[in-house]
Amino acid sequence: MRGRERLIRGDGIEITTEAFGDPENPPVLLIMGVMASMLWWPEGFCGRLAGAGHFVIRYDNRDTGPSTSRAPGEADYSFDDMADDALRVLDGYGIAAAHVVGMSMGGFIAQRLALRHPGRLLSLTAVSTSPVGLDDRALPGSTDAYTEHAATGERLDWSDRAQVVDYIVRDTRARAGTAFAHDEGGWRDLVERDYARARNFASVTNHFMAAGGEDLSGRLGGLRVPLLVIHGTADPLFPVEHGEALAAAVPGARLVKLEGGGHEIHPGHWDAIVAAIAEHPAGSADRKRH
């Protein structure tokens, strides 16, 4: 299924988006993670979610793709600003409330969005992420193998396309789970396309400098947006205990574990993810528009 691109402008910010499916269906907004453009929500996955009866929108976070970008090292925004970008996308499509799905850093952004603007969400799905506003010191950190890999990024020349592409392809392997074989060729194709369409690919590193935003300590337990947590049992970046803690913090939350799943949206788990979102409370609610 081919998507339809649209550029959303507001408050001096430009956000590139792409929509799939019938606009009359319930809307689903996808928010991707750190250093990742909307391409990391695979087109096939978006098509499958749209085919399940949703109007699906993915978008490029600022400093990825053709969206608004700052020079590397000059991040001037917070995660709350990135959550406001999600609101700009909804406003641009005339959508008052949507089912919001956030992956990794996108899960942080989605949680902040749900806590600060609960009326704009029909439901929240948090994929491969960690709880916001909770003391996470007892939760396990990334695996030693992933930490060792991530440290090599500090020595990377981000102006060297070949170095950057190779590093990110290695990162996809480091984040992979145990359930399926790693498709290096497929990932390399995605990373090459991602690099080619960015205003300045090195600017993705600004995500690591984004400020936290409003203090949300202790507020997660009061979340009243229906919460679905999806987490791979072999996630090396945020081990599954992070997903378990998030689900335990919110009354009525549902936890779906992907056996052998890593820190990724793997095609082998698309059906399970789409089914979980479709079955989520309010998953078939009527679309709301301004």
Side-chain angles (χ1 to χ4, degrees), residues 109-278:
I109 294 169
Q111 289 175 67
R112 301 192 75 85
L113 182 63
L115 289 169
R116 296 174 63 240
H117 303 282
R120 302 301 302 270
L121 283 77
L122 298 172
S123 69
L124 170 62
T125 298
V127 185
S128 300
T129 193
S130 191
V132 165
L134 292 185
D135 183 352
D136 62 359
R137 288 175 294 181
L139 295 176
S142 301
T143 63
D144 290 343
Y146 186 81
T147 300
E148 182 178 348
H149 153 75
T152 66
E154 298 175 3
R155 303 187 296 271
L156 202 64
D157 179 357
W158 284 88
S159 67
D160 186 318
R161 177 172 180 155
Q163 278 193 44
V164 171
V165 170
D166 285 346
Y167 170 77
I168 296 179
V169 172
R170 291 197 306 273
D171 191 66
T172 64
R173 180 178 292 279
R175 290 189 282 110
T178 58
F180 307 103
H182 179 256
D183 179 10
E184 180 165 340
W187 285 117
R188 184 171 294 276
D189 174 71
L190 185 150
V191 176
E192 290 279 11
R193 289 187 290 117
D194 205 17
Y195 193 103
R197 65 190 290 274
R199 291 191 184 191
N200 181 358
F201 195 85
S203 295
V204 299
T205 57
N206 283 340
H207 287 173
F208 293 110
M209 290 174 276
E214 181 182 349
D215 183 6
L216 299 177
S217 298
R219 287 180 54 181
L220 196 56
L223 181 69
R224 292 297 174 258
V225 175
L227 173 64
L228 167 66
V229 179
I230 300 176
H231 214 108
T233 62
D235 189 329
L237 184 54
F238 291 125
V240 69
E241 288 87 349
H242 289 252
E244 292 171 342
L246 174 53
V250 179
R254 178 185 174 209
L255 173 63
V256 172
K257 296 182 182 181
L258 303 176
E259 289 302 319
H263 198 78
E264 56 189 344
I265 305 293
H266 195 284
H269 281 135
W270 287 358
D271 285 342
I273 296 171
V274 169
I277 293 172

